[in-house]
Amino acid sequence: MPDDDVVLSTLRDQWHLQPSEISALPDEVLSRGWEVTAGPERYVCRLAEPGARQPVEAGLVAAEHLRGRDIVAGEPVRTLAGGLTAQTPAGALAVLRRVPGRPLDGGDPIDQQWWGDRLGVVHKALQHFHHPGLRPWQPLDPAAAHLSAEPWLRGAVAGAVGAATRLTVTDRLTYGVLHGDPAPGNFVVDPSTGRAGLLDCGASGVGPLVYDVAAAVGYVGGPDRATDLIDGYVAAGPVRRDELEAVLPVLVRLRWAVRADRAARRGNRKMLRCAKKALESASS
């Protein structure tokens, strides 16, 4: 069953929502998203990959934690049975009330400042947040069977994982709760109030906070195109600039390895070609 049909049927069965409009959000690495209108309300639905239900639910509780600290974030909507998510054949589905505002444009310098600022604020606000569903940061498995999809893939992933492992062993890094997939479209700014926020907290885990920055940087094509994003993050977040600049290249490389891994799992040849080019550039 196509994911769109899964979402529609699950919204009806588990939330009693009858969408009048549904539109896909831009693709992210770890999930698919939709904006949904049902009656007078607007929602965001996230369908995470199979096996990610506990981290997704940790992210939803993290969103509630942020809202309690006056940080704009989507409000999780529980199922009729009181659950945070509904399990479907395609993965765990979550529903949040859509916060007002337009999605940020990753290529716009001002929007990059908002983006970096909000990511930094979220990292600070979640420094003492705990949830049993938070998974530890785990580099990829270079021995995974799906990495045989392309001759270059396994070696590229192994090289990125090795570099990241050496980094975490030899350097003191700032750890905390990760968003996991902080794409620009996951952040919004409301022109009527000037307030910025985020749609949801992703499939949360605990790891080096610069990994989230690396994930964001990857969406705009690398650190050279993300100077305003980085400035905004350093001004608001808990990681010092010297740490960020020292470890960012290694974690950007790892993030592209993650994207290559996901593309291989899904059989997405176009994304694999893009990841290969980025990994070659990050490794040089």
Side-chain angles (χ1 to χ4, degrees):
M1 181 183 291
D3 287 349
D4 295 46
D5 293 338
V6 168
V7 170
L8 287 170
S9 63
T10 307
L11 288 175
R12 289 193 296 266
D13 295 343
Q14 299 294 326
W15 280 273
H16 276 191
L17 291 176
Q18 299 289 341
S20 57
E21 294 182 34
I22 181 168
S23 58
L25 292 167
D27 283 347
E28 297 183 10
V29 175
L30 303 179
S31 68
R32 292 190 61 199
W34 293 262
E35 285 202 13
V36 171
T37 301
E41 300 287 345
R42 295 177 67 198
Y43 304 90
V44 170
C45 301
R46 289 284 182 198
L47 184 64
E49 57 189 19
R53 186 172 191 171
Q54 286 188 325
V56 167
E57 293 194 350
L60 294 170
V61 177
E64 293 177 333
H65 179 88
L66 294 175
R67 288 172 56 81
R69 282 151 180 75
D70 199 32
I71 297 169
V72 177
E75 177 188 2
V77 180
R78 292 181 177 266
T79 67
L80 296 172
L84 281 167
T85 61
Q87 191 64 39
T88 79
L93 185 68
V95 177
L96 304 99
R97 296 189 192 281
R98 170 63 155 87
V99 297
R102 62 165 179 81
L104 298 185
D105 177 356
D108 181 87
I110 302 300
D111 279 13
Q112 279 200 18
Q113 286 276 350
W114 283 116
W115 185 12
D117 171 87
R118 288 298 89 185
L119 184 58
V121 165
V122 167
H123 280 173
K124 269 194 173 179
L126 294 178
Q127 282 186 302
H128 303 292
F129 173 78
H130 301 282
H131 187 277
L134 289 173
R135 56 187 174 188
W137 189 65
Q138 295 177 330
L140 302 167
D141 177 11
H146 60 269
L147 296 180
S148 299
E150 295 285 346
W152 58 270
L153 183 55
R154 192 179 304 280
V157 168
V161 169
T165 301
R166 288 191 295 273
L167 183 73
T168 58
V169 170
T170 59
D171 291 65
R172 288 182 60 87
L173 304 182
T174 305
Y175 276 66
V177 177
L178 299 171
H179 180 283
D181 211 7
N186 217 317
F187 294 76
V188 298
V189 60
D190 186 352
S192 65
T193 64
R195 296 193 74 191
L198 70 162
L199 300 181
D200 65 73
C201 282
S204 288
V206 176
L209 292 179
V210 179
Y211 179 74
D212 260 357
V213 182
V217 164
Y219 279 106
V220 295
D224 292 345
R225 299 183 181 181
T227 54
D228 293 288
L229 163 65
I230 292 168
D231 288 347
Y233 180 83
V234 170
V239 180
R240 291 165 51 99
R241 184 179 291 275
D242 55 354
E243 177 187 337
L244 190 148
E245 291 180 346
V247 306
L248 186 60
V250 175
L251 296 184
V252 166
R253 180 184 176 189
L254 180 67
R255 178 62 175 186
W256 276 109
V258 168
R259 297 186 75 162
D261 177 90
R262 294 301 190 277
R265 286 177 186 269
R266 299 169 183 170
N268 187 331
R269 299 291 178 179
K270 181 179 179 181
M271 185 64 223
L272 266 176
R273 290 193 296 271
C274 180
K276 179 183 180 183
K277 183 177 180 181
L279 277 167
E280 290 172 344
S281 176
S283 302
S284 60

